[in-house]
Amino acid sequence: MQRTSSAIIACQGLPLISGQNCDPYATVMLVGPARSDQRKTKVKKKTSNPQFEETFFFEVSRSSSYMKRAHFQVEEEDIEKLEIKVDLWNNETMAPDVFLGETRVSLKILRNDHVHKAWYLLQPKGNGNKPKPEDLGSLRLNITYTEDIVLPSACYHCLRALVLQSPDVKPISASAAHILAEVCKEQYEAVLPVVKLLLHHNRLVPFVSSIAELELEQTQEANTIFRGNSLATRCIDDMMKIVGRSYLAVTLKPVLDEICESNKTCEIDPVKLKDGDNKEINKENLQCFVQKVFSSITQSSASCPPLMCDVFRSLRQMASRRFPADPHVQYSAVSSFVFLRFFAVAVLSPHTFQLRPHHPDPEVTRTLTLISKTIQTLGSWGSLSKNKLSSFKESYMYDFFKSFQEDKCIEKVKKFLDDISLNVSKKSSGLEDSVVLKEGEVQKRAQGRKRIGKRNFKKRWLRVTTQELSYHKQKGKEPLCVIPVKDILGVEKLEESAFKRKNMFQVIQSEKPLYVQAGNCVEVCEWIEVLSQVSRCNPGRLSVFHPSAFLMGAWQCCKAQNEGQPGCRPCSTATLANIQQLDIDCDRETEKIFTLFSSSHSNLQKMEDACASLSVYLGQQKEQEEYSAFTIQDPMETFQTVQQIQTALEELQGHHAAHGAAADEPGTIENPIVGKTS
């Protein structure tokens, strides 16, 4: 595991553009044989001597195709080929940006000195048609390079197992994951490796539910729910950024592209209006953009990742139990995340979510700020009572919100929050109407038949509603069988070889699967899509399935002879299957956890002392105040976990020493061995 940081500090003597100071910004790239990662600074207005003071981090790792040490004759070969490339540009509003110059710094210079700070003359591009180097100005860089070794996977078994057991530990504050957050409170990045590790192993939802419940126990008022920067909110923030990236792209990118490229002014603050601006036209522009963003969000529930739905459903249920007298808290528990911490943040900074290639210019940034602020407020309407709706800080925002139809917005917000945080099949007081989503004629295999034969398939009328799946002898007839949507555990295609038939799919439930043949390949995809969407929030969805049938005493796909044998293939629509497609290296994340624990070893020791003290002096206020920085509900259980962590850290330190990678700081090495061995 390696990390390079490049700090763009300042430039001097940049050239004039059309006789005026330029609007410079820098792009920073880590360039190598198989990579070109790019970052971008903010634009500095009207200056030839900009002060950037921005730092960018790049992680360096081997290509996924290099799995064995034998592929590298020289361990340091990859690093020798990497370089930092910085381009300076002048930001243009009505024309393409103007290239000002570039500089390249090879990472070779960091071999003897891990921190390199210097001024560099800007150079022209390789074609030589640009001005002479001395006319381009200079750039000051500060580049830092650190490198950590990732050991073979077996070395991390003990520490990884401790972290993965965290959701099952009672109380949750005695778990390894919670203890890491306690001893590394000053390090915001401590949460991310835990989230990734739990996420990959499908253990994040129970952990988040437990730490959220702990936070709710300490929350006294419903209107302050999940407001702070707690372990629960940080975990959910990181989870949404990881699993919700494609959701944001589908939901927001088209409308954000339109906003950023429209050049329409949306300023409605009278103090900030420029000469010639028309406030009413600006208001109309802003309202149009807000409506598009708001509609994109509230109509996106079908695209919300199942894992986010699982977390939101858990938050909603716990908040309702904690504050049963407040009818709005079930909505605020969800909206405080999905609107305030997810969509509003993505609208405000689209470049950080890869929704836009660069940081927007100041005017567009102001437009996005107004839209983000509006979306936050609209998103909270579903969880606010009427007497709170007019409490705005700025009078111009109060006037702007008068243009929205309050009741309709509340209805849309509540429906959206219901869709992403309730089981789709759940009825509201038994009065909710069932909506038909799809119906049509299919061939259904008789359930329980052991032999293959044409007579085992019969024409049936298949019907899917928001409440149930049913099949009938004919359209309009009474159902022969009804399967509640909440009982569906998975919907997957069936291999043609199972019954020698094309276009087949299976509806997996606790009993025998329902095998169905659609009329054509388009139909089978539509059935799977509808059934998957309507059941996507069901608890207990399967992560694996059998792509063939159980016939003549064995599964035809894996030849297992036990009919209750778990599936042999990952589900295409299951949460776990989707998670495993994410680029998460569990060994690397466990190594990060090891480094975090090691760097905070003194705090870990203090927590161990606190547990021993609390066990002996429980109830004495003086001792409790001394260790009040830690959350310790069960001193004995916490003490045992801390000791297990200490043992795991000592074991890993021994593995590092055995691999010749021990250094002053555990996990970090002076003369590193590149990459991950196996």
Side-chain angles (χ1 to χ4, degrees), residues 493-515:
K493 287 185 177 181
L494 196 70
E495 290 180 349
E496 182 180 341
S497 59
F499 299 110
K500 304 295 188 287
R501 287 172 176 250
K502 297 180 179 181
N503 305 320
M504 288 203 65
F505 66 94
Q506 55 180 316
V507 180
I508 308 170
Q509 49 182 329
S510 57
E511 302 297 328
K512 294 182 180 295
L514 178 67
Y515 297 122

PDB file of all heavy atoms in Angstrom, residues 493-515:
ATOM      1  N   LYS A 493     -32.512 -15.572 -13.350  1.00  0.00           N
ATOM      2  CA  LYS A 493     -32.680 -16.377 -14.557  1.00  0.00           C
ATOM      3  C   LYS A 493     -32.359 -17.841 -14.262  1.00  0.00           C
ATOM      4  O   LYS A 493     -31.589 -18.151 -13.353  1.00  0.00           O
ATOM      5  CB  LYS A 493     -31.784 -15.864 -15.685  1.00  0.00           C
ATOM      6  CG  LYS A 493     -32.251 -14.557 -16.306  1.00  0.00           C
ATOM      7  CD  LYS A 493     -31.381 -14.181 -17.500  1.00  0.00           C
ATOM      8  CE  LYS A 493     -31.903 -12.906 -18.158  1.00  0.00           C
ATOM      9  NZ  LYS A 493     -31.081 -12.536 -19.341  1.00  0.00           N
ATOM     10  N   LEU A 494     -32.959 -18.726 -15.058  1.00  0.00           N
ATOM     11  CA  LEU A 494     -32.724 -20.161 -14.931  1.00  0.00           C
ATOM     12  C   LEU A 494     -32.018 -20.649 -16.188  1.00  0.00           C
ATOM     13  O   LEU A 494     -32.378 -20.267 -17.309  1.00  0.00           O
ATOM     14  CB  LEU A 494     -34.049 -20.899 -14.745  1.00  0.00           C
ATOM     15  CG  LEU A 494     -33.964 -22.330 -14.217  1.00  0.00           C
ATOM     16  CD1 LEU A 494     -33.518 -22.344 -12.764  1.00  0.00           C
ATOM     17  CD2 LEU A 494     -35.308 -23.042 -14.361  1.00  0.00           C
ATOM     18  N   GLU A 495     -31.017 -21.500 -16.014  1.00  0.00           N
ATOM     19  CA  GLU A 495     -30.274 -22.010 -17.162  1.00  0.00           C
ATOM     20  C   GLU A 495     -31.189 -22.825 -18.078  1.00  0.00           C
ATOM     21  O   GLU A 495     -32.057 -23.575 -17.615  1.00  0.00           O
ATOM     22  CB  GLU A 495     -29.108 -22.867 -16.686  1.00  0.00           C
ATOM     23  CG  GLU A 495     -28.006 -22.070 -16.012  1.00  0.00           C
ATOM     24  CD  GLU A 495     -26.858 -22.953 -15.549  1.00  0.00           C
ATOM     25  OE1 GLU A 495     -27.031 -24.196 -15.562  1.00  0.00           O
ATOM     26  OE2 GLU A 495     -25.799 -22.407 -15.188  1.00  0.00           O
ATOM     27  N   GLU A 496     -30.970 -22.680 -19.364  1.00  0.00           N
ATOM     28  CA  GLU A 496     -31.777 -23.393 -20.353  1.00  0.00           C
ATOM     29  C   GLU A 496     -31.693 -24.900 -20.165  1.00  0.00           C
ATOM     30  O   GLU A 496     -32.664 -25.630 -20.393  1.00  0.00           O
ATOM     31  CB  GLU A 496     -31.309 -23.008 -21.760  1.00  0.00           C
ATOM     32  CG  GLU A 496     -32.100 -23.641 -22.875  1.00  0.00           C
ATOM     33  CD  GLU A 496     -31.589 -23.231 -24.250  1.00  0.00           C
ATOM     34  OE1 GLU A 496     -30.879 -22.201 -24.330  1.00  0.00           O
ATOM     35  OE2 GLU A 496     -31.911 -23.924 -25.232  1.00  0.00           O
ATOM     36  N   SER A 497     -30.536 -25.385 -19.705  1.00  0.00           N
ATOM     37  CA  SER A 497     -30.338 -26.826 -19.552  1.00  0.00           C
ATOM     38  C   SER A 497     -31.194 -27.436 -18.453  1.00  0.00           C
ATOM     39  O   SER A 497     -31.375 -28.659 -18.406  1.00  0.00           O
ATOM     40  CB  SER A 497     -28.863 -27.114 -19.263  1.00  0.00           C
ATOM     41  OG  SER A 497     -28.448 -26.440 -18.071  1.00  0.00           O
ATOM     42  N   ALA A 498     -31.734 -26.592 -17.539  1.00  0.00           N
ATOM     43  CA  ALA A 498     -32.513 -27.123 -16.424  1.00  0.00           C
ATOM     44  C   ALA A 498     -33.727 -27.911 -16.905  1.00  0.00           C
ATOM     45  O   ALA A 498     -33.990 -29.026 -16.450  1.00  0.00           O
ATOM     46  CB  ALA A 498     -32.944 -25.983 -15.501  1.00  0.00           C
ATOM     47  N   PHE A 499     -34.486 -27.303 -17.833  1.00  0.00           N
ATOM     48  CA  PHE A 499     -35.695 -27.956 -18.347  1.00  0.00           C
ATOM     49  C   PHE A 499     -35.730 -27.983 -19.867  1.00  0.00           C
ATOM     50  O   PHE A 499     -36.793 -28.187 -20.455  1.00  0.00           O
ATOM     51  CB  PHE A 499     -36.941 -27.243 -17.802  1.00  0.00           C
ATOM     52  CG  PHE A 499     -37.057 -27.275 -16.309  1.00  0.00           C
ATOM     53  CD1 PHE A 499     -36.876 -26.119 -15.558  1.00  0.00           C
ATOM     54  CD2 PHE A 499     -37.335 -28.462 -15.648  1.00  0.00           C
ATOM     55  CE1 PHE A 499     -36.985 -26.143 -14.182  1.00  0.00           C
ATOM     56  CE2 PHE A 499     -37.444 -28.492 -14.263  1.00  0.00           C
ATOM     57  CZ  PHE A 499     -37.263 -27.339 -13.523  1.00  0.00           C
ATOM     58  N   LYS A 500     -34.570 -27.731 -20.478  1.00  0.00           N
ATOM     59  CA  LYS A 500     -34.494 -27.711 -21.950  1.00  0.00           C
ATOM     60  C   LYS A 500     -35.447 -26.665 -22.524  1.00  0.00           C
ATOM     61  O   LYS A 500     -36.074 -26.876 -23.562  1.00  0.00           O
ATOM     62  CB  LYS A 500     -34.824 -29.096 -22.525  1.00  0.00           C
ATOM     63  CG  LYS A 500     -33.949 -30.227 -21.992  1.00  0.00           C
ATOM     64  CD  LYS A 500     -32.500 -30.043 -22.401  1.00  0.00           C
ATOM     65  CE  LYS A 500     -31.656 -31.270 -22.041  1.00  0.00           C
ATOM     66  NZ  LYS A 500     -31.405 -31.391 -20.609  1.00  0.00           N
ATOM     67  N   ARG A 501     -35.560 -25.535 -21.834  1.00  0.00           N
ATOM     68  CA  ARG A 501     -36.441 -24.456 -22.275  1.00  0.00           C
ATOM     69  C   ARG A 501     -35.717 -23.114 -22.143  1.00  0.00           C
ATOM     70  O   ARG A 501     -34.989 -22.890 -21.169  1.00  0.00           O
ATOM     71  CB  ARG A 501     -37.735 -24.408 -21.446  1.00  0.00           C
ATOM     72  CG  ARG A 501     -38.702 -25.542 -21.752  1.00  0.00           C
ATOM     73  CD  ARG A 501     -39.865 -25.554 -20.779  1.00  0.00           C
ATOM     74  NE  ARG A 501     -40.827 -26.587 -21.142  1.00  0.00           N
ATOM     75  CZ  ARG A 501     -42.042 -26.335 -21.631  1.00  0.00           C
ATOM     76  NH1 ARG A 501     -42.458 -25.092 -21.803  1.00  0.00           N
ATOM     77  NH2 ARG A 501     -42.864 -27.332 -21.915  1.00  0.00           N
ATOM     78  N   LYS A 502     -35.970 -22.217 -23.107  1.00  0.00           N
ATOM     79  CA  LYS A 502     -35.393 -20.883 -23.087  1.00  0.00           C
ATOM     80  C   LYS A 502     -36.284 -19.921 -22.296  1.00  0.00           C
ATOM     81  O   LYS A 502     -37.435 -20.216 -22.000  1.00  0.00           O
ATOM     82  CB  LYS A 502     -35.201 -20.356 -24.510  1.00  0.00           C
ATOM     83  CG  LYS A 502     -34.227 -21.164 -25.370  1.00  0.00           C
ATOM     84  CD  LYS A 502     -34.105 -20.548 -26.757  1.00  0.00           C
ATOM     85  CE  LYS A 502     -33.113 -21.319 -27.617  1.00  0.00           C
ATOM     86  NZ  LYS A 502     -32.962 -20.731 -28.965  1.00  0.00           N
ATOM     87  N   ASN A 503     -35.710 -18.758 -21.993  1.00  0.00           N
ATOM     88  CA  ASN A 503     -36.448 -17.630 -21.405  1.00  0.00           C
ATOM     89  C   ASN A 503     -37.125 -18.000 -20.087  1.00  0.00           C
ATOM     90  O   ASN A 503     -38.262 -17.623 -19.824  1.00  0.00           O
ATOM     91  CB  ASN A 503     -37.492 -17.095 -22.390  1.00  0.00           C
ATOM     92  CG  ASN A 503     -36.890 -16.726 -23.723  1.00  0.00           C
ATOM     93  OD1 ASN A 503     -35.796 -16.161 -23.784  1.00  0.00           O
ATOM     94  ND2 ASN A 503     -37.584 -17.057 -24.809  1.00  0.00           N
ATOM     95  N   MET A 504     -36.398 -18.719 -19.229  1.00  0.00           N
ATOM     96  CA  MET A 504     -36.965 -19.111 -17.940  1.00  0.00           C
ATOM     97  C   MET A 504     -36.345 -18.287 -16.810  1.00  0.00           C
ATOM     98  O   MET A 504     -35.190 -17.877 -16.874  1.00  0.00           O
ATOM     99  CB  MET A 504     -36.746 -20.598 -17.686  1.00  0.00           C
ATOM    100  CG  MET A 504     -37.610 -21.497 -18.556  1.00  0.00           C
ATOM    101  SD  MET A 504     -37.844 -23.133 -17.817  1.00  0.00           S
ATOM    102  CE  MET A 504     -38.792 -22.727 -16.340  1.00  0.00           C
ATOM    103  N   PHE A 505     -37.148 -18.061 -15.779  1.00  0.00           N
ATOM    104  CA  PHE A 505     -36.651 -17.416 -14.568  1.00  0.00           C
ATOM    105  C   PHE A 505     -37.285 -18.094 -13.363  1.00  0.00           C
ATOM    106  O   PHE A 505     -38.251 -18.863 -13.488  1.00  0.00           O
ATOM    107  CB  PHE A 505     -36.938 -15.912 -14.576  1.00  0.00           C
ATOM    108  CG  PHE A 505     -38.395 -15.543 -14.512  1.00  0.00           C
ATOM    109  CD1 PHE A 505     -39.015 -15.264 -13.294  1.00  0.00           C
ATOM    110  CD2 PHE A 505     -39.163 -15.444 -15.673  1.00  0.00           C
ATOM    111  CE1 PHE A 505     -40.353 -14.901 -13.233  1.00  0.00           C
ATOM    112  CE2 PHE A 505     -40.499 -15.075 -15.629  1.00  0.00           C
ATOM    113  CZ  PHE A 505     -41.104 -14.803 -14.400  1.00  0.00           C
ATOM    114  N   GLN A 506     -36.729 -17.831 -12.200  1.00  0.00           N
ATOM    115  CA  GLN A 506     -37.227 -18.448 -10.971  1.00  0.00           C
ATOM    116  C   GLN A 506     -37.481 -17.391  -9.908  1.00  0.00           C
ATOM    117  O   GLN A 506     -36.739 -16.417  -9.780  1.00  0.00           O
ATOM    118  CB  GLN A 506     -36.227 -19.478 -10.448  1.00  0.00           C
ATOM    119  CG  GLN A 506     -34.826 -18.940 -10.228  1.00  0.00           C
ATOM    120  CD  GLN A 506     -33.871 -19.994  -9.716  1.00  0.00           C
ATOM    121  OE1 GLN A 506     -34.211 -20.767  -8.819  1.00  0.00           O
ATOM    122  NE2 GLN A 506     -32.668 -20.044 -10.283  1.00  0.00           N
ATOM    123  N   VAL A 507     -38.557 -17.571  -9.167  1.00  0.00           N
ATOM    124  CA  VAL A 507     -38.877 -16.733  -8.017  1.00  0.00           C
ATOM    125  C   VAL A 507     -38.557 -17.560  -6.782  1.00  0.00           C
ATOM    126  O   VAL A 507     -39.216 -18.576  -6.507  1.00  0.00           O
ATOM    127  CB  VAL A 507     -40.360 -16.306  -8.026  1.00  0.00           C
ATOM    128  CG1 VAL A 507     -40.657 -15.436  -6.808  1.00  0.00           C
ATOM    129  CG2 VAL A 507     -40.701 -15.571  -9.308  1.00  0.00           C
ATOM    130  N   ILE A 508     -37.526 -17.148  -6.052  1.00  0.00           N
ATOM    131  CA  ILE A 508     -37.044 -17.928  -4.918  1.00  0.00           C
ATOM    132  C   ILE A 508     -37.778 -17.486  -3.654  1.00  0.00           C
ATOM    133  O   ILE A 508     -37.852 -16.289  -3.344  1.00  0.00           O
ATOM    134  CB  ILE A 508     -35.530 -17.751  -4.753  1.00  0.00           C
ATOM    135  CG1 ILE A 508     -34.811 -18.035  -6.075  1.00  0.00           C
ATOM    136  CG2 ILE A 508     -34.992 -18.668  -3.657  1.00  0.00           C
ATOM    137  CD1 ILE A 508     -33.345 -17.648  -6.078  1.00  0.00           C
ATOM    138  N   GLN A 509     -38.313 -18.455  -2.937  1.00  0.00           N
ATOM    139  CA  GLN A 509     -38.988 -18.210  -1.670  1.00  0.00           C
ATOM    140  C   GLN A 509     -38.531 -19.261  -0.669  1.00  0.00           C
ATOM    141  O   GLN A 509     -37.690 -20.109  -0.977  1.00  0.00           O
ATOM    142  CB  GLN A 509     -40.508 -18.252  -1.868  1.00  0.00           C
ATOM    143  CG  GLN A 509     -40.972 -19.469  -2.630  1.00  0.00           C
ATOM    144  CD  GLN A 509     -42.454 -19.489  -2.865  1.00  0.00           C
ATOM    145  OE1 GLN A 509     -43.221 -18.975  -2.056  1.00  0.00           O
ATOM    146  NE2 GLN A 509     -42.887 -20.078  -3.960  1.00  0.00           N
ATOM    147  N   SER A 510     -39.086 -19.223   0.539  1.00  0.00           N
ATOM    148  CA  SER A 510     -38.647 -20.166   1.565  1.00  0.00           C
ATOM    149  C   SER A 510     -39.015 -21.597   1.203  1.00  0.00           C
ATOM    150  O   SER A 510     -38.327 -22.542   1.581  1.00  0.00           O
ATOM    151  CB  SER A 510     -39.250 -19.786   2.920  1.00  0.00           C
ATOM    152  OG  SER A 510     -40.670 -19.738   2.832  1.00  0.00           O
ATOM    153  N   GLU A 511     -40.132 -21.775   0.479  1.00  0.00           N
ATOM    154  CA  GLU A 511     -40.509 -23.096  -0.007  1.00  0.00           C
ATOM    155  C   GLU A 511     -39.782 -23.362  -1.321  1.00  0.00           C
ATOM    156  O   GLU A 511     -38.745 -22.796  -1.593  1.00  0.00           O
ATOM    157  CB  GLU A 511     -42.034 -23.154  -0.180  1.00  0.00           C
ATOM    158  CG  GLU A 511     -42.814 -22.843   1.096  1.00  0.00           C
ATOM    159  CD  GLU A 511     -42.545 -23.849   2.204  1.00  0.00           C
ATOM    160  OE1 GLU A 511     -42.301 -25.033   1.872  1.00  0.00           O
ATOM    161  OE2 GLU A 511     -42.557 -23.453   3.384  1.00  0.00           O
ATOM    162  N   LYS A 512     -40.333 -24.207  -2.166  1.00  0.00           N
ATOM    163  CA  LYS A 512     -39.714 -24.526  -3.447  1.00  0.00           C
ATOM    164  C   LYS A 512     -39.769 -23.323  -4.379  1.00  0.00           C
ATOM    165  O   LYS A 512     -40.738 -22.552  -4.338  1.00  0.00           O
ATOM    166  CB  LYS A 512     -40.414 -25.723  -4.088  1.00  0.00           C
ATOM    167  CG  LYS A 512     -40.230 -27.027  -3.317  1.00  0.00           C
ATOM    168  CD  LYS A 512     -40.913 -28.166  -4.033  1.00  0.00           C
ATOM    169  CE  LYS A 512     -40.738 -29.475  -3.266  1.00  0.00           C
ATOM    170  NZ  LYS A 512     -39.344 -29.923  -3.206  1.00  0.00           N
ATOM    171  N   PRO A 513     -38.754 -23.130  -5.230  1.00  0.00           N
ATOM    172  CA  PRO A 513     -38.778 -22.007  -6.179  1.00  0.00           C
ATOM    173  C   PRO A 513     -39.935 -22.146  -7.163  1.00  0.00           C
ATOM    174  O   PRO A 513     -40.371 -23.256  -7.482  1.00  0.00           O
ATOM    175  CB  PRO A 513     -37.428 -22.126  -6.898  1.00  0.00           C
ATOM    176  CG  PRO A 513     -36.576 -22.987  -6.029  1.00  0.00           C
ATOM    177  CD  PRO A 513     -37.512 -23.916  -5.334  1.00  0.00           C
ATOM    178  N   LEU A 514     -40.417 -21.015  -7.629  1.00  0.00           N
ATOM    179  CA  LEU A 514     -41.438 -20.989  -8.673  1.00  0.00           C
ATOM    180  C   LEU A 514     -40.720 -20.805 -10.005  1.00  0.00           C
ATOM    181  O   LEU A 514     -40.040 -19.803 -10.224  1.00  0.00           O
ATOM    182  CB  LEU A 514     -42.409 -19.827  -8.424  1.00  0.00           C
ATOM    183  CG  LEU A 514     -43.510 -19.621  -9.458  1.00  0.00           C
ATOM    184  CD1 LEU A 514     -44.493 -20.781  -9.448  1.00  0.00           C
ATOM    185  CD2 LEU A 514     -44.254 -18.309  -9.191  1.00  0.00           C
ATOM    186  N   TYR A 515     -40.836 -21.792 -10.909  1.00  0.00           N
ATOM    187  CA  TYR A 515     -40.163 -21.752 -12.199  1.00  0.00           C
ATOM    188  C   TYR A 515     -41.142 -21.296 -13.268  1.00  0.00           C
ATOM    189  O   TYR A 515     -42.227 -21.879 -13.425  1.00  0.00           O
ATOM    190  CB  TYR A 515     -39.604 -23.126 -12.556  1.00  0.00           C
ATOM    191  CG  TYR A 515     -38.542 -23.620 -11.601  1.00  0.00           C
ATOM    192  CD1 TYR A 515     -38.695 -24.829 -10.919  1.00  0.00           C
ATOM    193  CD2 TYR A 515     -37.376 -22.891 -11.387  1.00  0.00           C
ATOM    194  CE1 TYR A 515     -37.715 -25.287 -10.053  1.00  0.00           C
ATOM    195  CE2 TYR A 515     -36.395 -23.337 -10.523  1.00  0.00           C
ATOM    196  CZ  TYR A 515     -36.574 -24.536  -9.850  1.00  0.00           C
ATOM    197  OH  TYR A 515     -35.599 -24.971  -8.987  1.00  0.00           O
TER     198      TYR A 515
END
